[in-house]
Amino acid sequence: MKDAFWAGPLTVFVLAGTFFVGGGHDGLTAWQWPSVVIAALAVLGLLLWRRSPELMVLVVGVLVGLYFALGYSDGPVFAPFFIGIYLGARALPVRRWFPQTLLAIVALLVGMAIRAVTTELGWGQPLGQSIGVVAIASAAAAIGSMVRSRAQAEAERTARAATEEQLRMARDLHDGVGHGLAVIAMHAGVALHVLDRDPSSARQALEAIRDTSRESLDSLRAELSKLSGSAPRTPRRGLVDLEVLADRVRAAGLEVVVRRSGDPRRSTLSSHLPPDADAAAYAIVQESVTNVLRHASAQHVVISIDEAEGLSLTIADDGRGGEVHDEGMGLRGMRERAEALGGTLAAGPRPQGGFEVRAELPL
């Protein structure tokens, strides 16, 4: 057992202490030698704590109780008893370690009571020792439970962080690669449609497919590299890249209008935005446009950005809008991005036809 290195020094300490407490410097009698054996067995019983913590607590408690019941002197034999209670509480929930701990304490107190009756020790010292045993055992159990609780909390935090990172990567892959594939599909359709009568337009569509494919592959490669820890996170896109996104979609045949309002003195839209809000806003617009390409059969989409109070995004199209019964990863991912910043997102059909996504992000 790699984590049982402490058993060796503890055994030496308990054996040596029990030997000298029993009068080892003058030589132990035949009656005193079993005290050393019982003390050694109590220490070795601690090695059961990984396999069966309940059994370990009971075995150690009974052995130490037997030690005192046979009338042997006080000594380091208390150490394996308290360590056993600590290990049991550390390894088990309260409902499992409490009954065994209670039985172990009772076994020890009974042994001390038998020693008090069968020797001339009297009741004063055993009574005080009993109070001390209960107090120290309770403290050992409390410390063990606290260590267990902290370890569980840390494990839960680690698992939650890993899950959140997996969800983030899945969302980024969905946003980046999913958008790229939707644009590629749209451009491929355009290229096939005009291949014979307009080679120039077909060439432009193929060039757009080439560029979009490269970006999607770079995004996929970056996310896969993060899984192995071999690459830093790629720089996040922001609203300053919105025109590039719009031009790519326009080249696929969808008319895109970008409307901006807010402080006219701002020369760039995203240079002043908080990085998290900037990246979330771009991702929401990108996913909304991707959904238009994939599902809406729309001709026009209007992207409205307002910074008068916070950051307001509206993406509206003239396609076949409908009620959302299952948001899927796309809408759910957009909503999570907005809510993570303390904002809101609503999506649904427009009264005049089409579909609309509206996000409000605080700045």
Side-chain angles (χ1 to χ4, degrees):
M1 297 182 182
K2 295 181 179 179
D3 57 350
F5 63 90
W6 46 267
L10 180 62
T11 302
V12 173
F13 168 74
V14 172
L15 290 183
T18 304
F19 179 81
F20 286 107
V21 166
H25 54 284
D26 296 325
L28 294 180
T29 66
W31 177 79
Q32 290 171 327
W33 273 109
S35 67
V36 178
V37 176
I38 294 174
L41 290 175
V43 175
L44 295 178
L46 295 175
L47 298 179
L48 295 171
W49 83 285
R50 284 291 191 189
R51 181 170 298 179
S52 179
E54 297 105 320
L55 180 61
M56 178 270 297
V57 173
L58 286 176
V59 167
V60 174
V62 170
L63 286 172
V64 177
L66 177 63
Y67 174 94
F68 288 111
L70 294 175
Y72 296 123
S73 303
D74 297 329
V77 73
F78 282 111
F81 178 78
F82 296 129
I83 293 175
I85 289 178
Y86 163 79
L87 293 176
R90 178 180 170 182
L92 299 170
V94 176
R95 60 181 176 81
R96 291 182 59 187
W97 66 252
F98 182 79
Q100 281 71 22
T101 299
L102 183 60
L103 290 175
I105 293 174
V106 169
L108 175 57
L109 295 181
V110 169
M112 295 174 65
I114 293 175
R115 184 181 66 170
V117 171
T118 58
T119 65
E120 299 177 355
L121 187 62
W123 286 98
Q125 179 179 340
L127 181 60
Q129 285 182 327
S130 298
I131 296 174
V133 164
V134 173
I136 297 175
S138 299
I143 294 173
S145 288
M146 181 179 65
V147 172
R148 172 182 169 82
S149 297
R150 288 187 175 180
Q152 287 181 326
E154 182 62 27
E156 290 173 358
R157 283 194 294 270
T158 301
R160 184 166 56 251
T163 300
E164 290 175 353
E165 180 65 11
Q166 290 173 349
L167 291 175
R168 183 204 63 77
M169 294 180 68
R171 187 175 59 201
D172 287 350
L173 280 173
H174 177 272
D175 291 350
V177 179
H179 169 76
L181 292 177
V183 173
I184 289 171
M186 180 68 73
H187 279 294
V190 172
L192 289 173
H193 183 68
V194 301
L195 181 61
D196 295 328
R197 68 174 184 273
D198 192 352
S200 177
S201 297
R203 180 181 181 83
Q204 292 178 357
L206 291 174
E207 290 175 348
I209 290 175
R210 178 198 61 194
D211 296 338
T212 305
S213 299
R214 288 175 178 173
E215 292 183 9
S216 297
L217 286 174
D218 288 342
S219 177
L220 178 61
R221 189 178 297 112
E223 293 298 333
L224 293 178
S225 298
K226 292 171 198 173
L227 288 174
S228 61
S230 61
R233 182 168 296 181
T234 54
R236 291 185 289 188
R237 295 184 180 274
L239 291 181
V240 72
D241 303 303
L242 186 57
E243 285 299 333
V244 176
L245 173 66
D247 289 340
R248 182 185 302 156
V249 176
R250 292 188 187 106
L254 181 65
E255 183 177 339
V256 180
V257 177
V258 180
R259 297 173 179 169
R260 301 173 178 174
S261 59
D263 191 341
R265 294 173 295 176
R266 293 170 177 165
S267 58
T268 61
L269 185 60
S270 63
S271 60
H272 60 282
L273 295 177
D276 289 342
D278 191 22
Y282 179 86
I284 290 172
V285 173
Q286 177 181 257
E287 179 60 25
S288 298
V289 173
T290 301
N291 288 339
V292 173
L293 289 174
R294 295 176 59 190
H295 308 300
S297 298
Q299 300 297 319
H300 303 83
V301 60
V302 178
I303 302 171
S304 301
I305 302 171
D306 186 1
E307 294 182 81
E309 296 181 2
L311 180 60
S312 177
L313 304 170
T314 303
I315 303 94
D317 65 71
D318 60 354
R320 54 171 190 268
E323 293 291 340
V324 179
H325 300 289
D326 182 7
E327 289 192 346
M329 182 174 290
L331 283 175
R332 184 170 62 250
M334 290 192 289
R335 192 180 307 281
E336 289 173 354
R337 290 181 187 276
E339 292 176 351
L341 299 174
T344 60
L345 185 138
R350 305 167 64 201
Q352 64 272 38
F355 196 83
E356 180 179 271
V357 175
R358 178 179 294 274
E360 302 288 341
L361 306 179
L363 298 180

